[in-house]
């Protein structure tokens, strides 16, 4: 167990950030697309009545920590617009009200609401575990778009997100390769058809200062007038804060803006632009482990708040998104949608990232100086549609789509694996990064990765009996990977190399409504996944040695029910996943990889939501997964039967809300994470830990709410991620937020 008792120290920080500007390409695209729908509307010869939007009426709106949301259509479980109850899979929705009720500060904290998911935010190793599989085998998307790179899902302040949706298990048939453990979809706030204003000011420990603003307005047209209507929205967030370790300081800005145009004739257009800018001075890379590094891992309590990075260590990123979404309801039966998207990201690192104690635990050895840039662009277009029909007199709905995308990434690595310095663990100073011999400003490209994907998809839901629906899906992809060497040409690193893949994935499932508010489901689904790593960053060795993608298969059964007279909901899922063709070392030649590895995961997920009275809300989930390597070699040693690193067998969450008075709401969240292993041989581990969060919200008046929170109230010392060192989770912290909405 990792233990520490030292008090927190707050470091004095610099507060400057690099300046990034909107590229001419994006500026021109933004201007052109913004003017297009307005110009078309101005040229109409006759006015048209505004399109009436479909409204779903429900008996009651679930409370954020009460009954589980099962009856609102989602985007992630199916392209047919099914609700979680109608989908033959475990689907979780974390909506805006839930995000706010639980005080999730960023996307990584939002993920805690998904059954069985664990996440950590080490700057260069953003990690997620889902159903026993790590980040490389989980599809992480933004508004249904995959950028095929796990680090792209870096924690972003939750303010600009409307909700997060997730589906467990193999799901490549929805959005493409890379989704064996599951798919997670982050959906940004976009313009709505009414006026509102909201803002938030949050202050807390470690000099936290955060201000957020949201504004939505009708900018043209009216309810009583014929013709086009236009709505604009902007959501802006800025955060300036220290950190709980010495010397780290963060400044970040997030912007989401969009224009929604109802053009008449069933035609709508949404233009959306998102911008993220983050600058982290001296980012935290972890805490050294005490020797002997074996068995239950330990750290020195006096190093809990120490930061061994270079004095001017840096992580910085600039991310831009542009989306143009056109929807046309051609008839009562047919709807079409086209999504054009462009993504541009630039990430910079210069850090000393590895720290270990000497044999006597009296000195810390600092190594692994790392200078890196990621230049990443994605451009694509998706055409999709839904069609309502019947087969032999029974309702049959179809979804179809064509996806085309081009993903380019260039990496600029410069690393030194050797020792940088040896310092006193408690009283030390560190160098400026570019004073390290062998490190100098500037970037030298390594290779260009270009991934071109073309995909066709088809999905169907047919009522084969009055209370029995069959759901099927197929997706066929053509993936072309082109590598260009930007350094010295050798036999193992040629000037260029290309490889093509053609995976076909799918799902077949049934949903049986056994009684009002209760169903049973079963499904079989498949997925395709890169054999080692991610195609957008694949090396020449990965591509030249591995001619196939890995495959994932899942069998899942489950149920979704209402009970206690509608006061409660519950979901249960039982699954078995097998991932084959994992790239593993050749035992006769460790420098060569073979596609003979296999990993399995068997598990159960239970979620329950209760609203026993108007005052009480309760929601909980419990997951257990048995994740194992069936066949895997590392360093010439078989790892068969071993558990993948940082994969807990058990994860449990409980959220409780109680209205003390109509104006005063108390809340508590409890999270339990089971034992995890730090190495593939399973000889190093961290015991289970439990965290407690507390909150108290005071509704001052109709428009204003003041909320205070204590996170990790018991000040538990734990590792959010384990490897050669421990990336510790935050200690006890407190903050207060004033939210105003009108």
């Amino acid at each position: 167990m990792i233990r520490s008792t030292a008090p927190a120290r707050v470091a004095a920080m610099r507060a400057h950030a690099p300046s990034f500007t909107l590229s001419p390409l994006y500026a021109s695209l933004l201007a052109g697309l913004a003017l297009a729908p307005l110009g078309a509307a101005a040229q109409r010869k006759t006015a048209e009545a505004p399109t009436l939007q479909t409204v779903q009426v429900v008996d009651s709106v679930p409370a954020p920590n009460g009954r589980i949301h099962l009856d609102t259509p989602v985007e992630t479980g199916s392209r047919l617009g099914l609700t979680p109850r109608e989908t033959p899979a475990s689907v979780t929705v974390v909506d805006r009200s839930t995000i706010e009720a639980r005080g999730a500060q960023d996307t990584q904290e939002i993920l805690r609401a998904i059954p069985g998911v664990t996440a950590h935010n080490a700057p260069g190793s953003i990690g997620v575990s889902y159903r026993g599989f790590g980040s490389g085998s989980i599809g992480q998307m933004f508004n249904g778009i995959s950028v095929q790179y796990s680090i792209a899902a870096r924690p972003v302040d939750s303010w600009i997100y409307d909700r997060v949706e997730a589906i467990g298990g193999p799901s490549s048939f929805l959005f493409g390769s890379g989704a064996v453990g599951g798919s997670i979809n982050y959906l940004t706030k976009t313009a709505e058809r009414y006026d509102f204003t909201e803002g938030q000011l949050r202050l807390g420990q470690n000099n936290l200062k955060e201000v957020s603003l949201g504004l939505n307005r009708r900018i043209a047209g009216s309810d009583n007038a014929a013709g086009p209507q236009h709505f604009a929205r902007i959501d802006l967030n800025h955060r300036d804060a220290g950190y709980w370790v010495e010397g780290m300081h963060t400044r970040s800005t997030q912007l989401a803006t969009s224009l929604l145009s109802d053009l008449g004739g069933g035609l709508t257009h949404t233009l959306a632009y998102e911008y993220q800018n983050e600058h982290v001075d001296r980012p935290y890379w972890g805490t050294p482990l005490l020797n002997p590094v074996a068995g239950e891992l330990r750290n020195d309590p006096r190093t809990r708040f120490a930061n061994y990075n270079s004095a001017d260590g840096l992580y910085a990123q600039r991310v831009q998104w542009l989306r143009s979404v056109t929807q046309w309801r051609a008839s009562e039966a047919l709807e079409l949608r086209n999504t054009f998207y462009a993504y541009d990201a630039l990430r910079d690192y210069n850090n000393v990232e590895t720290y270990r104690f000497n044999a006597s635990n009296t000195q810390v050895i600092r190594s692994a100086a790392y200078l890196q840039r990621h230049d990443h662009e994605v451009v694509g277009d998706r055409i999709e549609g839904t069609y309502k029909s019947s087969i032999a007199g029974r309702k049959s709905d179809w979804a179809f789509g064509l996806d085309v995308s081009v993903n380019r990434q260039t990496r600029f690595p410069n690393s030194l694996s050797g020792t940088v310095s040896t310092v006193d663990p408690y009283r030390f100073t560190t160098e400026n990064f570019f004073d390290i011999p062998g490190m100098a400003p500037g970037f030298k490209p390594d290779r260009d990765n270009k991934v071109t994907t073309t995909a066709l998809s088809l999905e169907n839901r047919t009522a084969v009996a009055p209370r029995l629906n069959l759901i099927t899906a197929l997706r066929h992809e053509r993936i072309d990977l082109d590598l260009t060497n930007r350094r010295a040409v050798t036999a193992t690193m040629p000037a260029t190399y290309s490889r093509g893949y053609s995976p076909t994935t799918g799902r077949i499932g049934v949903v049986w409504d056994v009684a009002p508010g209760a169903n049973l489901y079963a499904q079989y689904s498949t997925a395709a996944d890169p054999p080692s790593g991610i195609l957008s960053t694949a090396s020449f060795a990965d591509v030249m040695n591995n001619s196939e993608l890995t495959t994932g298969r899942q069998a899942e059964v489950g149920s979704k029910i209402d009970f206690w007279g509608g006061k409660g909901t519950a979901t249960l899922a039982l699954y078995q996943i097998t991932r084959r063709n994992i790239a593993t070392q050749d035992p006769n030649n460790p420098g060569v990889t073979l596609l003979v590895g296999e990993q399995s995961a068997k598990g159960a997920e239970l979620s329950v939501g209760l609203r026993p009275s108007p005052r009480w809300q309760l929601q909980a989930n419990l997951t257990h997964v048995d994740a194992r390597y069936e066949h895997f070699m590392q360093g010439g040693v078989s790892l068969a039967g071993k558990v993948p690193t940082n994969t807990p067998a058990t994860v449990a969450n409980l959220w409780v809300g109680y209205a003390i008075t109509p104006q005063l709401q108390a809340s508590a969240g409890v999270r339990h994470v089971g034992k995890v292993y730090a190495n593939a041989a399973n000889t190093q581990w961290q015991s289970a830990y439990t965290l407690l969060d507390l909150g108290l919200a005071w509704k001052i008046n109709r428009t204003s709410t003041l909320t205070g929170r204590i996170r990790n109230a018991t000040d538990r010392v734990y590792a959010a991620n384990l490897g050669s060192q421990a990336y510790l989770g935050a200690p006890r912290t407190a903050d207060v937020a004033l939210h105003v909405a009108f």
Side-chain angles (χ1 to χ4, degrees):
M1 185 182 309
I2 298 176
R3 302 183 184 276
S4 179
T5 58
R9 292 171 285 175
V10 180
M13 303 302 305
R14 306 188 313 274
H16 65 276
S19 175
F20 296 101
T21 58
L22 183 64
S23 70
L25 170 64
Y26 281 88
S28 61
L29 284 171
L30 185 64
L33 291 173
L35 293 173
L38 298 177
Q43 296 175 15
R44 288 185 174 274
K45 296 180 180 181
T46 59
E48 297 180 344
T51 302
L52 296 178
Q53 302 300 310
T54 302
V55 178
Q56 182 180 16
V57 179
V58 296
D59 294 335
S60 62
V61 178
N65 287 323
R67 298 176 67 250
I68 301 171
H69 301 228
L70 294 178
D71 297 308
T72 301
V74 298
E75 297 184 18
T76 307
S78 165
R79 290 195 174 187
L80 290 163
L82 304 181
T83 68
R85 194 188 301 272
E86 296 168 331
T87 305
S90 176
V91 178
T92 302
V93 181
V94 191
D95 65 6
R96 187 67 215 172
S97 62
T98 302
I99 295 170
E100 294 177 353
R102 299 176 186 175
Q105 301 176 88
D106 55 39
T107 49
Q108 295 294 97
E109 291 191 3
I110 295 174
L111 298 182
R112 294 178 179 178
I114 301 171
V117 169
T118 59
H120 65 86
N121 60 352
S125 182
I126 308 301
V128 177
S129 175
Y130 196 3
R131 289 195 169 182
F133 295 87
S135 298
S137 298
I138 298 170
Q140 296 195 69
M141 302 162 293
F142 298 87
N143 300 293
I145 302 163
S146 173
V147 296
Q148 304 164 356
Y149 188 38
S150 59
I151 293 179
R154 177 166 175 80
V156 177
D157 192 277
S158 61
W159 180 261
I160 69 169
Y161 290 101
D162 178 70
R163 64 192 187 281
V164 174
E165 301 175 351
I167 177 173
S171 44
S172 298
F173 56 87
L174 288 172
F175 301 102
S177 63
V180 174
S183 295
I184 300 170
N185 192 10
Y186 306 90
L187 292 116
T188 312
K189 294 175 178 176
T190 55
E192 301 190 43
R193 294 175 174 86
Y194 63 97
D195 293 351
F196 62 85
T197 302
E198 63 176 334
Q200 180 173 279
L201 174 65
R202 189 160 68 95
L203 304 173
Q205 287 181 265
N206 306 314
N207 294 320
L208 168 64
K209 301 178 289 292
E210 184 178 77
V211 61
S212 307
L213 174 69
L215 181 68
N216 196 101
R217 290 289 187 272
R218 183 197 303 267
I219 59 174
S222 66
D223 288 334
N224 300 321
Q229 301 182 60
H230 305 280
F231 306 83
R233 178 169 183 167
I234 182 170
D235 291 277
L236 180 66
N237 168 269
H238 180 74
R239 188 175 190 270
D240 189 311
Y243 203 59
W244 57 270
V245 296
E246 298 173 336
M248 181 171 165
H249 187 92
T250 301
R251 297 185 67 183
S252 62
T253 301
Q254 288 76 226
L255 168 70
T257 184
S258 57
L259 172 67
L260 169 63
S261 300
D262 291 331
L263 303 175
L267 183 66
T268 67
H269 180 266
T270 299
L271 178 70
Y273 173 76
E274 290 110 46
Y275 173 83
Q276 303 162 24
N277 188 349
E278 181 181 15
H279 185 104
V280 183
D281 291 308
R282 204 177 180 190
Y284 170 64
W285 287 91
T287 300
L289 297 165
L290 287 169
N291 288 307
V293 183
E296 193 169 13
L297 300 177
R298 304 166 298 132
N299 79 299
D300 186 334
R302 294 171 292 176
T303 67
R304 183 183 184 186
F305 304 97
N307 187 346
Y308 298 99
N309 200 353
S310 294
D312 61 347
L314 171 71
Y315 172 81
Q317 74 163 356
R318 185 266 295 136
V319 176
Q320 298 179 101
W321 274 102
L322 180 68
R323 290 178 290 121
S324 173
V325 183
T326 303
Q327 295 179 271
W328 179 40
R329 187 171 185 178
S331 67
E332 289 296 322
L334 178 65
E335 293 190 31
L336 300 173
R337 176 172 174 165
N338 184 84
T339 302
F340 167 81
Y341 54 90
Y343 168 87
D344 178 73
L346 193 68
R347 301 180 181 88
D348 288 342
Y349 306 79
N350 51 257
N351 305 281
V352 175
E353 300 179 2
T354 301
Y355 326 116
R356 69 182 191 278
F357 277 109
N358 62 359
S360 60
N361 294 320
T362 57
Q363 299 284 306
V364 171
I365 303 168
R366 304 169 59 249
S367 60
Y370 189 70
L371 176 66
Q372 175 71 278
R373 166 169 284 185
H374 303 164
D375 191 352
H376 189 192
E377 295 181 353
V378 182
V379 177
D381 194 83
R382 174 181 298 161
I383 303 171
E384 55 193 324
T386 59
Y387 182 71
K388 298 178 180 179
S389 66
S390 63
I391 298 178
R394 299 191 179 277
K395 183 179 179 181
S396 183
D397 297 336
W398 297 85
F400 50 90
L402 169 65
D403 296 359
V404 180
S405 69
V406 179
N407 186 337
R408 296 184 177 89
Q409 185 169 166
T410 302
R411 295 163 70 88
F412 303 76
N414 183 12
S415 61
L416 299 173
S417 59
T419 299
V420 174
S421 70
T422 300
V423 300
D424 185 291
Y426 321 115
R427 296 173 294 277
F428 63 90
T429 58
T430 59
E431 72 295 313
N432 288 328
F433 183 80
F434 291 114
D435 290 338
I436 300 172
M439 287 298 172
F443 298 97
K444 181 181 179 182
D446 180 18
R447 66 182 181 274
D448 300 328
N449 287 40
K450 177 184 175 183
V451 183
T452 304
T453 303
T454 304
L456 290 169
S457 62
L458 185 66
E459 190 174 1
N460 175 261
R461 178 180 186 245
T462 297
V464 296
R467 295 187 295 175
L468 184 66
N469 287 282
L470 175 68
I471 294 95
T472 55
L474 279 176
R475 180 184 176 95
H476 180 73
E477 297 179 89
R478 174 64 190 183
I479 305 171
D480 293 306
L481 174 59
D482 298 294
L483 300 182
T484 302
N485 188 1
R486 303 283 292 274
R487 296 189 178 180
V489 175
T490 66
T492 58
M493 296 181 61
T496 61
Y497 193 85
S498 299
R499 172 107 44 205
Y501 307 91
S502 297
T504 299
T505 56
R507 168 172 70 188
I508 181 169
V510 292
V511 179
W512 178 29
D513 297 322
V514 296
N519 70 21
L520 299 172
Y521 73 85
Q523 73 151 338
Y524 177 82
S525 60
T526 63
D529 196 29
S532 61
I534 301 168
L535 292 181
S536 61
T537 59
S539 68
F540 279 94
D542 289 333
V543 181
M544 295 171 70
N545 294 334
N546 302 317
S547 60
E548 302 177 38
L549 297 177
T550 69
T551 59
R553 293 178 172 86
Q554 175 184 255
E556 178 178 341
V557 296
S559 179
K560 302 165 188 181
I561 63 172
D562 299 331
F563 62 93
W564 200 2
K567 295 180 180 180
T569 54
T571 66
L572 173 66
L574 307 174
Y575 62 86
Q576 179 173 337
I577 305 172
T578 302
R579 182 185 178 213
R580 295 189 174 95
N581 291 336
I582 303 175
T584 182
Q585 287 179 325
D586 183 349
N588 300 315
N589 186 359
V592 177
T593 58
L594 304 173
L595 294 181
V596 296
E598 182 175 324
Q599 180 185 345
S600 68
K602 304 173 185 176
E605 297 172 352
L606 174 65
S607 297
V608 178
L610 298 173
R611 188 81 184 271
S613 74
R615 286 193 168 189
W616 283 99
Q617 306 170 31
L618 183 149
Q619 198 170 111
N621 57 60
L622 171 66
T623 63
H624 181 80
V625 59
D626 180 12
R628 303 282 175 180
Y629 289 116
E630 303 295 336
H631 308 287
F632 198 77
M633 300 291 297
Q634 188 177 82
V637 177
S638 173
L639 299 179
K642 303 299 184 182
V643 179
T645 59
N646 291 292
T647 302
T650 302
V651 178
N653 295 285
L654 170 67
W655 299 274
V656 179
Y658 177 69
I660 303 172
T661 71
Q663 291 77 37
L664 194 63
Q665 177 87 30
S667 63
V670 181
R671 179 171 176 82
H672 176 83
V673 179
K675 176 182 177 180
V676 296
Y677 292 102
N679 63 342
N682 292 179
T683 58
Q684 304 166 7
W685 66 84
Q686 172 185 251
S687 296
Y689 62 88
T690 302
L691 305 177
L692 172 65
D693 296 337
L694 300 172
L696 188 65
W698 174 37
K699 191 173 181 60
I700 303 171
N701 52 41
R702 184 179 60 85
T703 62
S704 306
T705 302
L706 184 67
T707 303
R709 298 189 184 277
I710 300 176
R711 306 171 195 274
N712 190 7
T714 62
D715 200 28
R716 178 62 187 263
V717 180
Y718 68 99
N721 184 60
L722 283 170
S724 61
Q725 58 211 40
Y727 191 90
L728 299 180
R732 179 172 50 235
T733 57
D735 62 76
V736 61
L738 176 64
H739 185 274
V740 179
F742 53 89

